[in-house]
Amino acid sequence: MKPVFVVTGPSGAGKGTLIRGLLERLPQLEAAISATTRPMRAGEEDGREYWFLDDDEFSARADDGEFLEWVEYVSHKRYGTLRSEIDRIGGHGRVCVLELELDGALHVQREVPGACTIFISADVDELERRLRERATESTGEIEDRITLARYQLEQAHLFRYMVRNDDVTRAGEVLAAIVERELVLAGTMACR
Ligand code: 5GP
């Protein structure tokens, strides 16, 4: 069975950057594009970072059972993994990578055989600095994300692996080593 890699961790931990590096190193991997109701940020494109849906469309698709999982995250915005994305990636003969917040990651860990969860951790002061620097959200939302991030850092033990992102080069190497090992164990990659 093909594994599904789930990268999780608090907002600002650097999941997106690490996943981009991972996809460059291992071309057999492909990231699923989630659906969300949050507004598009500058520089984002529909169908690239996310499928941006309005509330009604998200609800209709959820009612039709189109999501493997979905959650309501900060500020009542919804995020979900479309089953069609997993099928699309499997259909290309590729291995799926999901970037999910913690509840979604736990759900996939419970429900999907072959799911391998990896928690990306970072120092809380560093997280706060990155979130403020990014400043794509309003001040209230940043405070909400920081409060949530503090709580989330304590949940790392629930996941199969933890990678500390205090040095992005080193964290990228550790993440790739974990994924390669799991691919070899699953018989999808030859040992090197
Ligand atoms: P952002 O708004 O910064 O793009 O994402 C906020 C959080 O939502 C991140 O922690 C991200 O990993 C998570 N997320 C993105 N897509 C999904 C999804 O499909 N399901 C779940 N459960 N979380 C998601």
Side-chain angles (χ1 to χ4, degrees), residues 114-156:
C116 173
T117 52
I118 304 163
F119 184 95
I120 309 296
S121 164
D123 180 71
V124 75
D125 294 337
E126 177 62 16
L127 273 184
E128 192 165 335
R129 195 188 59 75
R130 285 185 204 157
L131 284 172
R132 291 193 194 284
E133 197 177 81
R134 191 163 83 184
T136 45
E137 283 81 18
S138 67
T139 313
E141 274 190 39
I142 290 172
E143 296 306 328
D144 288 350
R145 282 184 184 236
I146 290 168
T147 307
L148 187 63
R150 285 180 188 277
Y151 164 76
Q152 288 177 330
L153 283 174
E154 293 164 12
Q155 314 297 309

mmCIF file of all heavy atoms in Angstrom, residues 114-156:
data_model
loop_
_atom_site.group_PDB
_atom_site.id
_atom_site.type_symbol
_atom_site.label_atom_id
_atom_site.label_comp_id
_atom_site.label_asym_id
_atom_site.label_seq_id
_atom_site.Cartn_x
_atom_site.Cartn_y
_atom_site.Cartn_z
ATOM 1 N N GLY A 114 -1.723 3.401 6.438
ATOM 2 C CA GLY A 114 -0.556 3.851 5.667
ATOM 3 C C GLY A 114 -0.253 5.326 5.854
ATOM 4 O O GLY A 114 0.665 5.849 5.229
ATOM 5 N N ALA A 115 -1.030 6.022 6.704
ATOM 6 C CA ALA A 115 -0.734 7.441 6.947
ATOM 7 C C ALA A 115 0.498 7.561 7.849
ATOM 8 O O ALA A 115 0.611 6.857 8.847
ATOM 9 C CB ALA A 115 -1.923 8.132 7.599
ATOM 10 N N CYS A 116 1.393 8.446 7.475
ATOM 11 C CA CYS A 116 2.596 8.683 8.286
ATOM 12 C C CYS A 116 2.587 10.158 8.680
ATOM 13 O O CYS A 116 2.689 11.035 7.821
ATOM 14 C CB CYS A 116 3.839 8.348 7.456
ATOM 15 S SG CYS A 116 5.360 8.807 8.308
ATOM 16 N N THR A 117 2.444 10.426 9.970
ATOM 17 C CA THR A 117 2.303 11.810 10.424
ATOM 18 C C THR A 117 3.639 12.367 10.929
ATOM 19 O O THR A 117 4.361 11.704 11.670
ATOM 20 C CB THR A 117 1.240 11.917 11.537
ATOM 21 O OG1 THR A 117 1.548 10.959 12.550
ATOM 22 C CG2 THR A 117 -0.155 11.665 11.010
ATOM 23 N N ILE A 118 3.925 13.582 10.540
ATOM 24 C CA ILE A 118 5.186 14.237 10.916
ATOM 25 C C ILE A 118 4.855 15.621 11.478
ATOM 26 O O ILE A 118 4.264 16.457 10.774
ATOM 27 C CB ILE A 118 6.118 14.375 9.697
ATOM 28 C CG1 ILE A 118 6.353 12.997 9.064
ATOM 29 C CG2 ILE A 118 7.446 15.015 10.122
ATOM 30 C CD1 ILE A 118 6.902 13.049 7.656
ATOM 31 N N PHE A 119 5.226 15.838 12.716
ATOM 32 C CA PHE A 119 4.936 17.106 13.388
ATOM 33 C C PHE A 119 6.139 18.031 13.258
ATOM 34 O O PHE A 119 7.260 17.656 13.610
ATOM 35 C CB PHE A 119 4.644 16.829 14.869
ATOM 36 C CG PHE A 119 4.224 18.036 15.664
ATOM 37 C CD1 PHE A 119 2.877 18.312 15.860
ATOM 38 C CD2 PHE A 119 5.169 18.880 16.232
ATOM 39 C CE1 PHE A 119 2.484 19.424 16.595
ATOM 40 C CE2 PHE A 119 4.784 19.997 16.971
ATOM 41 C CZ PHE A 119 3.430 20.260 17.153
ATOM 42 N N ILE A 120 5.911 19.238 12.725
ATOM 43 C CA ILE A 120 6.993 20.224 12.609
ATOM 44 C C ILE A 120 6.886 21.167 13.801
ATOM 45 O O ILE A 120 5.860 21.821 14.005
ATOM 46 C CB ILE A 120 6.896 21.045 11.293
ATOM 47 C CG1 ILE A 120 6.764 20.130 10.067
ATOM 48 C CG2 ILE A 120 8.092 21.986 11.174
ATOM 49 C CD1 ILE A 120 7.927 19.225 9.771
ATOM 50 N N SER A 121 7.965 21.197 14.577
ATOM 51 C CA SER A 121 7.956 21.978 15.802
ATOM 52 C C SER A 121 8.912 23.164 15.678
ATOM 53 O O SER A 121 9.834 23.125 14.865
ATOM 54 C CB SER A 121 8.399 21.042 16.923
ATOM 55 O OG SER A 121 8.772 21.746 18.037
ATOM 56 N N ALA A 122 8.667 24.196 16.448
ATOM 57 C CA ALA A 122 9.600 25.334 16.471
ATOM 58 C C ALA A 122 9.493 25.978 17.844
ATOM 59 O O ALA A 122 8.502 25.782 18.560
ATOM 60 C CB ALA A 122 9.245 26.334 15.378
ATOM 61 N N ASP A 123 10.489 26.723 18.207
ATOM 62 C CA ASP A 123 10.496 27.440 19.478
ATOM 63 C C ASP A 123 9.342 28.463 19.478
ATOM 64 O O ASP A 123 9.110 29.121 18.467
ATOM 65 C CB ASP A 123 11.847 28.139 19.593
ATOM 66 C CG ASP A 123 11.961 28.920 20.866
ATOM 67 O OD1 ASP A 123 12.069 28.284 21.912
ATOM 68 O OD2 ASP A 123 11.885 30.171 20.791
ATOM 69 N N VAL A 124 8.642 28.592 20.601
ATOM 70 C CA VAL A 124 7.432 29.415 20.610
ATOM 71 C C VAL A 124 7.730 30.898 20.313
ATOM 72 O O VAL A 124 6.969 31.566 19.608
ATOM 73 C CB VAL A 124 6.618 29.203 21.914
ATOM 74 C CG1 VAL A 124 7.247 29.891 23.093
ATOM 75 C CG2 VAL A 124 5.184 29.630 21.726
ATOM 76 N N ASP A 125 8.873 31.411 20.799
ATOM 77 C CA ASP A 125 9.218 32.818 20.525
ATOM 78 C C ASP A 125 9.488 33.020 19.035
ATOM 79 O O ASP A 125 9.120 34.041 18.451
ATOM 80 C CB ASP A 125 10.462 33.241 21.317
ATOM 81 C CG ASP A 125 10.183 33.228 22.810
ATOM 82 O OD1 ASP A 125 8.999 33.341 23.185
ATOM 83 O OD2 ASP A 125 11.140 33.076 23.592
ATOM 84 N N GLU A 126 10.110 32.010 18.437
ATOM 85 C CA GLU A 126 10.408 32.069 17.009
ATOM 86 C C GLU A 126 9.096 32.023 16.198
ATOM 87 O O GLU A 126 8.921 32.757 15.225
ATOM 88 C CB GLU A 126 11.332 30.881 16.666
ATOM 89 C CG GLU A 126 11.702 30.725 15.211
ATOM 90 C CD GLU A 126 12.489 31.897 14.640
ATOM 91 O OE1 GLU A 126 13.014 32.694 15.413
ATOM 92 O OE2 GLU A 126 12.522 32.007 13.384
ATOM 93 N N LEU A 127 8.161 31.166 16.644
ATOM 94 C CA LEU A 127 6.856 31.064 15.977
ATOM 95 C C LEU A 127 6.144 32.417 15.981
ATOM 96 O O LEU A 127 5.601 32.856 14.970
ATOM 97 C CB LEU A 127 5.943 30.099 16.740
ATOM 98 C CG LEU A 127 6.002 28.629 16.427
ATOM 99 C CD1 LEU A 127 4.948 27.906 17.233
ATOM 100 C CD2 LEU A 127 5.750 28.421 14.938
ATOM 101 N N GLU A 128 6.161 33.037 17.165
ATOM 102 C CA GLU A 128 5.475 34.316 17.332
ATOM 103 C C GLU A 128 6.119 35.356 16.399
ATOM 104 O O GLU A 128 5.425 36.107 15.712
ATOM 105 C CB GLU A 128 5.611 34.743 18.790
ATOM 106 C CG GLU A 128 4.725 35.878 19.125
ATOM 107 C CD GLU A 128 4.566 36.091 20.624
ATOM 108 O OE1 GLU A 128 4.740 35.142 21.417
ATOM 109 O OE2 GLU A 128 4.268 37.236 20.977
ATOM 110 N N ARG A 129 7.447 35.351 16.348
ATOM 111 C CA ARG A 129 8.162 36.307 15.495
ATOM 112 C C ARG A 129 7.770 36.105 14.019
ATOM 113 O O ARG A 129 7.452 37.046 13.317
ATOM 114 C CB ARG A 129 9.672 36.107 15.679
ATOM 115 C CG ARG A 129 10.513 37.264 15.132
ATOM 116 C CD ARG A 129 11.995 36.948 15.159
ATOM 117 N NE ARG A 129 12.343 35.764 14.369
ATOM 118 C CZ ARG A 129 12.403 35.713 13.048
ATOM 119 N NH1 ARG A 129 12.137 36.784 12.350
ATOM 120 N NH2 ARG A 129 12.719 34.594 12.413
ATOM 121 N N ARG A 130 7.734 34.818 13.591
ATOM 122 C CA ARG A 130 7.411 34.538 12.178
ATOM 123 C C ARG A 130 5.980 34.952 11.843
ATOM 124 O O ARG A 130 5.715 35.507 10.780
ATOM 125 C CB ARG A 130 7.558 33.036 11.887
ATOM 126 C CG ARG A 130 9.000 32.597 11.788
ATOM 127 C CD ARG A 130 9.067 31.135 11.378
ATOM 128 N NE ARG A 130 10.315 30.549 11.799
ATOM 129 C CZ ARG A 130 10.515 29.250 12.000
ATOM 130 N NH1 ARG A 130 9.533 28.390 11.826
ATOM 131 N NH2 ARG A 130 11.684 28.793 12.378
ATOM 132 N N LEU A 131 5.049 34.690 12.770
ATOM 133 C CA LEU A 131 3.649 35.033 12.500
ATOM 134 C C LEU A 131 3.479 36.545 12.400
ATOM 135 O O LEU A 131 2.746 37.041 11.545
ATOM 136 C CB LEU A 131 2.736 34.458 13.584
ATOM 137 C CG LEU A 131 2.466 32.961 13.478
ATOM 138 C CD1 LEU A 131 1.713 32.462 14.702
ATOM 139 C CD2 LEU A 131 1.671 32.643 12.222
ATOM 140 N N ARG A 132 4.178 37.287 13.285
ATOM 141 C CA ARG A 132 4.062 38.755 13.243
ATOM 142 C C ARG A 132 4.726 39.300 11.990
ATOM 143 O O ARG A 132 4.237 40.247 11.377
ATOM 144 C CB ARG A 132 4.690 39.378 14.489
ATOM 145 C CG ARG A 132 3.897 39.093 15.737
ATOM 146 C CD ARG A 132 4.344 39.954 16.901
ATOM 147 N NE ARG A 132 3.809 39.453 18.151
ATOM 148 C CZ ARG A 132 2.568 39.602 18.554
ATOM 149 N NH1 ARG A 132 1.711 40.254 17.793
ATOM 150 N NH2 ARG A 132 2.145 39.085 19.684
ATOM 151 N N GLU A 133 5.863 38.693 11.627
ATOM 152 C CA GLU A 133 6.602 39.155 10.445
ATOM 153 C C GLU A 133 5.772 38.922 9.187
ATOM 154 O O GLU A 133 5.720 39.745 8.293
ATOM 155 C CB GLU A 133 7.906 38.367 10.375
ATOM 156 C CG GLU A 133 8.968 38.956 9.488
ATOM 157 C CD GLU A 133 10.229 38.097 9.566
ATOM 158 O OE1 GLU A 133 10.276 37.052 8.879
ATOM 159 O OE2 GLU A 133 11.123 38.449 10.338
ATOM 160 N N ARG A 134 5.101 37.750 9.141
ATOM 161 C CA ARG A 134 4.287 37.412 7.970
ATOM 162 C C ARG A 134 3.108 38.379 7.869
ATOM 163 O O ARG A 134 2.757 38.833 6.785
ATOM 164 C CB ARG A 134 3.804 35.960 8.105
ATOM 165 C CG ARG A 134 3.201 35.409 6.879
ATOM 166 C CD ARG A 134 3.141 33.895 6.936
ATOM 167 N NE ARG A 134 1.969 33.429 7.668
ATOM 168 C CZ ARG A 134 1.729 32.151 7.931
ATOM 169 N NH1 ARG A 134 2.563 31.225 7.568
ATOM 170 N NH2 ARG A 134 0.642 31.805 8.586
ATOM 171 N N ALA A 135 2.494 38.657 9.051
ATOM 172 C CA ALA A 135 1.437 39.681 9.172
ATOM 173 C C ALA A 135 0.429 39.685 8.027
ATOM 174 O O ALA A 135 0.038 40.730 7.538
ATOM 175 C CB ALA A 135 2.058 41.066 9.336
ATOM 176 N N THR A 136 0.028 38.490 7.595
ATOM 177 C CA THR A 136 -0.992 38.429 6.553
ATOM 178 C C THR A 136 -2.382 38.442 7.193
ATOM 179 O O THR A 136 -3.369 38.628 6.515
ATOM 180 C CB THR A 136 -0.838 37.153 5.694
ATOM 181 O OG1 THR A 136 -0.625 36.054 6.559
ATOM 182 C CG2 THR A 136 0.330 37.275 4.729
ATOM 183 N N GLU A 137 -2.426 38.220 8.509
ATOM 184 C CA GLU A 137 -3.707 38.216 9.202
ATOM 185 C C GLU A 137 -3.844 39.503 10.021
ATOM 186 O O GLU A 137 -2.864 40.196 10.264
ATOM 187 C CB GLU A 137 -3.799 37.016 10.160
ATOM 188 C CG GLU A 137 -4.074 35.699 9.467
ATOM 189 C CD GLU A 137 -2.835 35.072 8.862
ATOM 190 O OE1 GLU A 137 -1.728 35.425 9.232
ATOM 191 O OE2 GLU A 137 -2.978 34.226 7.970
ATOM 192 N N SER A 138 -5.056 39.792 10.482
ATOM 193 C CA SER A 138 -5.263 40.949 11.343
ATOM 194 C C SER A 138 -4.623 40.668 12.702
ATOM 195 O O SER A 138 -4.350 39.521 13.042
ATOM 196 C CB SER A 138 -6.758 41.189 11.516
ATOM 197 O OG SER A 138 -7.297 40.114 12.253
ATOM 198 N N THR A 139 -4.405 41.721 13.516
ATOM 199 C CA THR A 139 -3.734 41.536 14.803
ATOM 200 C C THR A 139 -4.479 40.522 15.667
ATOM 201 O O THR A 139 -3.873 39.645 16.284
ATOM 202 C CB THR A 139 -3.660 42.899 15.539
ATOM 203 O OG1 THR A 139 -3.214 43.851 14.602
ATOM 204 C CG2 THR A 139 -2.710 42.831 16.709
ATOM 205 N N GLY A 140 -5.817 40.606 15.679
ATOM 206 C CA GLY A 140 -6.607 39.666 16.496
ATOM 207 C C GLY A 140 -6.378 38.230 16.058
ATOM 208 O O GLY A 140 -6.209 37.342 16.892
ATOM 209 N N GLU A 141 -6.341 38.033 14.759
ATOM 210 C CA GLU A 141 -6.127 36.669 14.241
ATOM 211 C C GLU A 141 -4.734 36.165 14.569
ATOM 212 O O GLU A 141 -4.551 34.996 14.856
ATOM 213 C CB GLU A 141 -6.356 36.629 12.728
ATOM 214 C CG GLU A 141 -7.804 36.415 12.378
ATOM 215 C CD GLU A 141 -8.007 36.133 10.892
ATOM 216 O OE1 GLU A 141 -7.196 35.417 10.299
ATOM 217 O OE2 GLU A 141 -8.991 36.664 10.361
ATOM 218 N N ILE A 142 -3.738 37.056 14.535
ATOM 219 C CA ILE A 142 -2.373 36.638 14.868
ATOM 220 C C ILE A 142 -2.341 36.187 16.329
ATOM 221 O O ILE A 142 -1.770 35.146 16.649
ATOM 222 C CB ILE A 142 -1.350 37.769 14.597
ATOM 223 C CG1 ILE A 142 -1.225 37.968 13.082
ATOM 224 C CG2 ILE A 142 0.018 37.441 15.189
ATOM 225 C CD1 ILE A 142 -0.403 39.157 12.674
ATOM 226 N N GLU A 143 -2.987 36.960 17.214
ATOM 227 C CA GLU A 143 -3.026 36.571 18.636
ATOM 228 C C GLU A 143 -3.690 35.200 18.784
ATOM 229 O O GLU A 143 -3.218 34.353 19.527
ATOM 230 C CB GLU A 143 -3.785 37.616 19.478
ATOM 231 C CG GLU A 143 -3.137 38.996 19.528
ATOM 232 C CD GLU A 143 -1.671 38.982 19.977
ATOM 233 O OE1 GLU A 143 -1.306 38.118 20.788
ATOM 234 O OE2 GLU A 143 -0.903 39.812 19.469
ATOM 235 N N ASP A 144 -4.789 34.976 18.037
ATOM 236 C CA ASP A 144 -5.471 33.677 18.106
ATOM 237 C C ASP A 144 -4.542 32.559 17.652
ATOM 238 O O ASP A 144 -4.486 31.494 18.257
ATOM 239 C CB ASP A 144 -6.704 33.651 17.182
ATOM 240 C CG ASP A 144 -7.832 34.500 17.732
ATOM 241 O OD1 ASP A 144 -7.726 34.938 18.893
ATOM 242 O OD2 ASP A 144 -8.811 34.720 16.989
ATOM 243 N N ARG A 145 -3.814 32.809 16.569
ATOM 244 C CA ARG A 145 -2.912 31.779 16.034
ATOM 245 C C ARG A 145 -1.779 31.496 17.021
ATOM 246 O O ARG A 145 -1.338 30.364 17.165
ATOM 247 C CB ARG A 145 -2.346 32.203 14.674
ATOM 248 C CG ARG A 145 -3.358 32.001 13.548
ATOM 249 C CD ARG A 145 -2.786 32.332 12.187
ATOM 250 N NE ARG A 145 -3.810 32.213 11.160
ATOM 251 C CZ ARG A 145 -3.711 31.439 10.075
ATOM 252 N NH1 ARG A 145 -2.654 30.713 9.868
ATOM 253 N NH2 ARG A 145 -4.694 31.373 9.195
ATOM 254 N N ILE A 146 -1.291 32.547 17.712
ATOM 255 C CA ILE A 146 -0.193 32.351 18.667
ATOM 256 C C ILE A 146 -0.688 31.541 19.877
ATOM 257 O O ILE A 146 -0.026 30.609 20.338
ATOM 258 C CB ILE A 146 0.410 33.711 19.097
ATOM 259 C CG1 ILE A 146 1.182 34.311 17.898
ATOM 260 C CG2 ILE A 146 1.336 33.540 20.295
ATOM 261 C CD1 ILE A 146 1.584 35.754 18.073
ATOM 262 N N THR A 147 -1.881 31.881 20.379
ATOM 263 C CA THR A 147 -2.440 31.134 21.512
ATOM 264 C C THR A 147 -2.603 29.671 21.131
ATOM 265 O O THR A 147 -2.224 28.754 21.882
ATOM 266 C CB THR A 147 -3.827 31.721 21.894
ATOM 267 O OG1 THR A 147 -3.657 33.107 22.091
ATOM 268 C CG2 THR A 147 -4.404 31.061 23.122
ATOM 269 N N LEU A 148 -3.140 29.441 19.935
ATOM 270 C CA LEU A 148 -3.342 28.074 19.458
ATOM 271 C C LEU A 148 -1.988 27.360 19.281
ATOM 272 O O LEU A 148 -1.834 26.196 19.661
ATOM 273 C CB LEU A 148 -4.087 28.136 18.115
ATOM 274 C CG LEU A 148 -4.542 26.818 17.521
ATOM 275 C CD1 LEU A 148 -5.562 26.142 18.427
ATOM 276 C CD2 LEU A 148 -5.166 27.046 16.131
ATOM 277 N N ALA A 149 -1.000 28.076 18.756
ATOM 278 C CA ALA A 149 0.321 27.474 18.508
ATOM 279 C C ALA A 149 0.942 26.991 19.821
ATOM 280 O O ALA A 149 1.535 25.908 19.873
ATOM 281 C CB ALA A 149 1.244 28.484 17.826
ATOM 282 N N ARG A 150 0.792 27.772 20.887
ATOM 283 C CA ARG A 150 1.349 27.367 22.197
ATOM 284 C C ARG A 150 0.726 26.044 22.635
ATOM 285 O O ARG A 150 1.411 25.147 23.118
ATOM 286 C CB ARG A 150 1.037 28.424 23.264
ATOM 287 C CG ARG A 150 1.871 29.654 23.136
ATOM 288 C CD ARG A 150 1.495 30.658 24.235
ATOM 289 N NE ARG A 150 2.161 31.920 23.995
ATOM 290 C CZ ARG A 150 3.409 32.176 24.360
ATOM 291 N NH1 ARG A 150 4.093 31.255 25.012
ATOM 292 N NH2 ARG A 150 3.963 33.335 24.087
ATOM 293 N N TYR A 151 -0.593 25.938 22.482
ATOM 294 C CA TYR A 151 -1.291 24.701 22.856
ATOM 295 C C TYR A 151 -0.837 23.543 21.949
ATOM 296 O O TYR A 151 -0.560 22.442 22.401
ATOM 297 C CB TYR A 151 -2.803 24.933 22.760
ATOM 298 C CG TYR A 151 -3.595 23.657 22.750
ATOM 299 C CD1 TYR A 151 -3.790 22.947 23.933
ATOM 300 C CD2 TYR A 151 -4.117 23.145 21.561
ATOM 301 C CE1 TYR A 151 -4.488 21.752 23.925
ATOM 302 C CE2 TYR A 151 -4.816 21.962 21.545
ATOM 303 C CZ TYR A 151 -4.998 21.269 22.728
ATOM 304 O OH TYR A 151 -5.673 20.085 22.711
ATOM 305 N N GLN A 152 -0.751 23.833 20.640
ATOM 306 C CA GLN A 152 -0.419 22.777 19.667
ATOM 307 C C GLN A 152 0.969 22.193 19.900
ATOM 308 O O GLN A 152 1.183 21.002 19.686
ATOM 309 C CB GLN A 152 -0.517 23.333 18.251
ATOM 310 C CG GLN A 152 -1.965 23.581 17.827
ATOM 311 C CD GLN A 152 -2.057 24.214 16.450
ATOM 312 O OE1 GLN A 152 -1.169 24.953 16.047
ATOM 313 N NE2 GLN A 152 -3.131 23.937 15.750
ATOM 314 N N LEU A 153 1.925 23.046 20.350
ATOM 315 C CA LEU A 153 3.293 22.547 20.563
ATOM 316 C C LEU A 153 3.323 21.421 21.595
ATOM 317 O O LEU A 153 4.210 20.571 21.571
ATOM 318 C CB LEU A 153 4.213 23.686 21.003
ATOM 319 C CG LEU A 153 4.653 24.629 19.890
ATOM 320 C CD1 LEU A 153 5.430 25.810 20.465
ATOM 321 C CD2 LEU A 153 5.514 23.909 18.851
ATOM 322 N N GLU A 154 2.348 21.424 22.482
ATOM 323 C CA GLU A 154 2.304 20.374 23.517
ATOM 324 C C GLU A 154 1.740 19.063 22.980
ATOM 325 O O GLU A 154 1.732 18.053 23.684
ATOM 326 C CB GLU A 154 1.440 20.848 24.700
ATOM 327 C CG GLU A 154 2.087 22.001 25.440
ATOM 328 C CD GLU A 154 1.115 22.723 26.346
ATOM 329 O OE1 GLU A 154 0.000 22.205 26.569
ATOM 330 O OE2 GLU A 154 1.475 23.818 26.809
ATOM 331 N N GLN A 155 1.243 19.061 21.746
ATOM 332 C CA GLN A 155 0.590 17.855 21.205
ATOM 333 C C GLN A 155 1.528 17.022 20.310
ATOM 334 O O GLN A 155 1.105 16.026 19.736
ATOM 335 C CB GLN A 155 -0.646 18.232 20.351
ATOM 336 C CG GLN A 155 -1.565 19.263 20.966
ATOM 337 C CD GLN A 155 -2.179 18.763 22.243
ATOM 338 O OE1 GLN A 155 -2.732 17.680 22.285
ATOM 339 N NE2 GLN A 155 -2.053 19.547 23.306
ATOM 340 N N ALA A 156 2.788 17.437 20.234
ATOM 341 C CA ALA A 156 3.722 16.790 19.294
ATOM 342 C C ALA A 156 3.798 15.273 19.493
ATOM 343 O O ALA A 156 3.936 14.522 18.529
ATOM 344 C CB ALA A 156 5.104 17.409 19.440
#
